[in-house]
Amino acid sequence: MDMLATLTVDKPVVIFSKSTCCMSHTVKALISSFGANPAIIEVDKMPNGHQVERALLQLGCRPSVPAVFIGQQFIGGADEVISLNVQNKLAQLLLRARAIFLWSR
């Protein structure tokens, strides 16, 4: 877990992704559509990517990617992020984390 904390510290939004994962691409596009500029960590391109994936699995992210952290809090994977968006709660999380500064429906 310390590895994940190190990778997410001081970043409003972090998305752990794989470069070939279509759901990771979808989550990146959704969060970016709010005007946020998430930090993207492509675990399949990291030398220690397997360790990062193991840490994500231990955190409860199944599958391991996409895994989204907003305000250093683990939010979940694609299902959770899309659900928050449908419930109109994603923008509020992004605002609180200072990933975006203005939002109106």
Side-chain angles (χ1 to χ4, degrees):
M1 301 292 193
D2 292 334
M3 177 189 314
L4 296 178
T6 302
L7 293 170
T8 61
V9 73
D10 296 331
K11 296 178 184 91
V13 181
V14 177
I15 302 172
F16 289 89
S17 172
K18 285 188 179 176
S19 58
T20 58
C21 175
C22 64
M23 290 311 292
S24 293
H25 175 76
T26 300
V27 168
K28 289 185 263 187
L30 174 61
I31 290 176
S32 295
S33 74
F34 285 89
N37 187 20
I40 308 295
I41 299 175
E42 302 284 1
V43 296
D44 59 334
K45 300 201 175 192
M46 297 175 71
N48 65 339
H50 292 295
Q51 292 174 329
V52 173
E53 270 193 90
R54 255 186 266 126
L56 291 168
L57 289 169
Q58 288 175 352
L59 195 58
C61 197
R62 304 244 189 292
S64 61
V65 295
V68 178
F69 288 76
I70 299 176
Q72 292 78 43
Q73 295 284 323
F74 176 61
I75 301 302
D79 290 346
E80 292 80 11
V81 172
I82 292 169
S83 177
L84 286 168
N85 186 49
V86 169
Q87 298 170 34
N88 293 316
K89 295 180 180 177
L90 183 57
Q92 291 303 314
L93 286 175
L94 294 170
L95 282 164
R96 268 188 245 123
R98 298 184 173 271
I100 61 175
F101 297 98
L102 296 170
W103 184 254
S104 64
R105 291 185 194 174

